[in-house]
Structure formats: structure tokens, C-alpha cells
Amino acid sequence: MKLLSRASREVRPWKNACGVSEDIIVAPTVDASGDPPWRVALATVDRDVPFSSFRGMDRILMPISGAGMELAVDGELRRLARYSVLAFPGEASVAAHNVRTPLQDINVMVARRAGTVSLSRRYVVGATPLRSAPEGHVTVIVALAPTLRHNGKPLLVGDAILLDESDGGHLTGFGDTALVRINLGGRGRPDR
């Protein structure tokens, strides 16, 4: 288990320079395009902007602030409630619409040749044991509420826990989390 502290992250511009994000965790290698084969990030959308294009990647997104967000995906307007999940191809034309206040979302990208991804909301109540991740998987839990603790230590909103081969103690308290699971089929394991 590894704590991925939000305080230690750098805010960086998107590939198209229309927004910013913080990498929660990124694959330790890059492919021929210069992009890592997978990435989990916390993105900020502060106005109506187009999203970057990532050819050959699958993307999945979860709004985590406000009342959600509105996206145009290949011309089709989609209204996403807070904590809902939308998957779309990285090469799709995607743009945020009707942004009135800055919004944040969990954004996961995985190269199709590298694996598959799932993203879901999990509500924690009481004590939840953190079990090891299967070999060939990247499993990350992102705290979405300031009322959660890992092994007794408070988590800030946006802090994350990377599960590895060892059990990681307990998540306690109450509140929402985002659970990211990337199945790499044994490739692209994160650095320890």
C-alpha cells in the first residue's frame, strides 16, 4: 500500500493547454507517442473548453464537485450528475459546456493495447479493510470526503491509496471514494 498525497502533486497543463490536472498516478513508462499507457488524474475544468485528444486510449471520467458537469461528446450533449461515470474513446471530440464555477473530475486513461479500466463510486461507513490488488492490476482509492482516515491518519479530499500485493490496513470514517481498477494483464505495473 502506498499513500498518494495530494499535497505532493504538481498541477500541470492539459495536452491542449485548455485546462489543468494533477496526476494521482501515472505509468512509469511512455509509448512511442510520448504518452504513458495509463494515467489516473484529478482534472479542473473552470470554463467551457475542449478536452485533449488521446488517440488509441480509452477514457473514463467522474465529476466529483458541484452538481456535475455537461459534456458534448462527438456533438451529443451529455449531462453527468456528480459521481456518475462516463466512458469515451480518447480520440472523441469532447468539450465541457455551461461551466459556471470551477469543477473537478477524476479522469482515467488507458491505452487499448495495455488494458481495461473501471471507475466507480464507493461509500465508506465504519471500517473497511483494504486488501491487496491482484497481480497485473492497478487499484487506486481516491478520498472524496474529508471525513475519511487511513490507518488512523486523516485523508484530505483528493488523497489516494494505491493498493499493491500487501494488505493496506483499514479505511475508516464515512464518505465517498472513487475506486479505480486498471487491468493490465501483467503489463505496466506501477513503481513501488
Side-chain angles (χ1 to χ4, degrees), residues 8-71:
S8 66
R9 293 182 206 140
E10 290 183 30
V11 176
R12 61 173 182 76
W14 293 353
K15 187 176 176 181
N16 68 3
C18 290
V20 295
S21 65
E22 308 165 19
D23 287 334
I24 295 171
I25 186 168
V26 181
T29 60
V30 296
D31 59 21
S33 71
D35 292 320
W38 56 266
R39 168 183 276 139
V40 181
L42 179 64
T44 300
V45 180
D46 62 1
R47 63 192 188 284
D48 292 7
V49 291
F51 283 19
S52 303
S53 177
F54 289 91
R55 188 159 300 283
M57 301 195 91
D58 287 325
R59 297 182 69 175
I60 193 164
L61 175 145
M62 173 193 289
I64 62 168
S65 59
M69 65 193 313
E70 201 170 297
L71 295 177

Side-chain angles (χ1 to χ4, degrees), residues 12-187:
R12 61 173 182 76
W14 293 353
K15 187 176 176 181
N16 68 3
C18 290
V20 295
S21 65
E22 308 165 19
D23 287 334
I24 295 171
I25 186 168
V26 181
T29 60
V30 296
D31 59 21
S33 71
D35 292 320
W38 56 266
R39 168 183 276 139
V40 181
L42 179 64
T44 300
V45 180
D46 62 1
R47 63 192 188 284
D48 292 7
V49 291
F51 283 19
S52 303
S53 177
F54 289 91
R55 188 159 300 283
M57 301 195 91
D58 287 325
R59 297 182 69 175
I60 193 164
L61 175 145
M62 173 193 289
I64 62 168
S65 59
M69 65 193 313
E70 201 170 297
L71 295 177
V73 181
D74 287 334
E76 179 185 345
L77 209 54
R78 305 285 301 266
R79 177 79 181 118
L80 302 176
R82 185 180 190 191
Y83 303 136
S84 62
V85 174
L86 177 68
F88 54 93
E91 49 275 293
S93 172
V94 180
H97 282 270
N98 298 317
V99 177
R100 308 228 186 298
T101 59
L103 306 168
Q104 291 194 312
D105 64 74
I106 302 292
N107 178 32
V108 186
M109 295 180 275
V110 178
R112 288 184 198 105
R113 60 167 177 70
T116 58
V117 62
S118 68
L119 173 60
S120 59
R121 171 191 180 192
R122 299 290 170 100
Y123 193 82
V124 171
V125 177
T128 301
L130 300 178
R131 301 292 181 221
S132 60
E135 182 64 31
H137 287 70
V138 177
T139 303
V140 178
I141 299 169
V142 183
L144 302 179
T147 48
L148 296 168
R149 294 176 170 269
H150 177 253
N151 294 339
K153 295 182 181 174
L155 295 174
L156 300 175
V157 172
D159 282 351
I161 300 165
L162 171 66
L163 302 183
D164 55 21
E165 293 89 0
S166 61
D167 288 347
H170 288 82
L171 196 57
T172 57
F174 61 94
D176 288 298
T177 66
L179 175 63
V180 179
R181 287 188 172 131
I182 303 173
N183 180 352
L184 297 169
R187 294 170 296 205

